[in-house]
Amino acid sequence: EMLATMAAAYRPQPPAAISVVVLDTDTVSMRWEPPKSILGVESYSVCMRKAGTADDEWHSVCTCCQKLVRVNPDIPMLGTECLVKGLAAGVRYEIRAVARNAARESDWSPPVFV
């Protein structure tokens, strides 16, 4: 319990080595490496927006826990990979990820453009 309390007080490092693989005209797979230190990381969240829109236009795509996968019924999520579906043809998107624990979150990863 003491270790969990200490880990929650630690600010996680952001996910690293973000990559996107286009699977279909409306679907991409976003993958990342866990931070070098996973101390304090309980989950990852992925957000996207249309490129060039306002900062408040980011939308949550999926959340994944270190030990337990939480799945939006339309967006399968396994470990450090998120399938992003429903992208419009000809539209450029930005996708980014963040590591979280109960008390804090990391900086966002730099956005990847699709």
Side-chain angles (χ1 to χ4, degrees):
E1 187 173 316
M2 186 169 140
L3 183 57
T5 301
M6 288 173 47
Y10 180 79
R11 184 172 188 214
Q13 295 178 350
I18 308 292
S19 65
V20 174
V21 176
V22 176
L23 301 177
D24 201 342
T25 57
D26 69 344
T27 305
V28 297
S29 171
M30 180 178 175
R31 299 176 183 154
W32 60 91
E33 295 293 324
K36 289 181 182 178
S37 170
I38 62 167
L39 178 65
V41 177
E42 295 175 359
S43 66
Y44 301 100
S45 293
V46 175
C47 289
M48 72 174 203
R49 69 177 178 182
K50 290 180 184 175
T53 57
D55 276 344
D56 62 353
E57 295 293 320
W58 288 99
H59 302 283
S60 180
V61 178
C62 52
T63 300
C64 174
C65 290
Q66 285 285 87
K67 296 179 182 173
L68 173 67
V69 176
R70 293 183 198 161
V71 179
N72 173 323
D74 299 322
I75 305 171
M77 178 81 173
L78 299 172
T80 56
E81 178 178 3
C82 176
L83 294 182
V84 181
K85 296 182 177 187
L87 304 176
V91 176
R92 191 166 180 191
Y93 293 92
E94 295 176 70
I95 305 173
R96 64 185 186 172
V98 67
R100 290 192 166 114
N101 63 33
R104 304 183 78 184
E105 68 179 33
S106 70
D107 289 333
W108 285 93
S109 68
V112 175
F113 292 86
V114 180

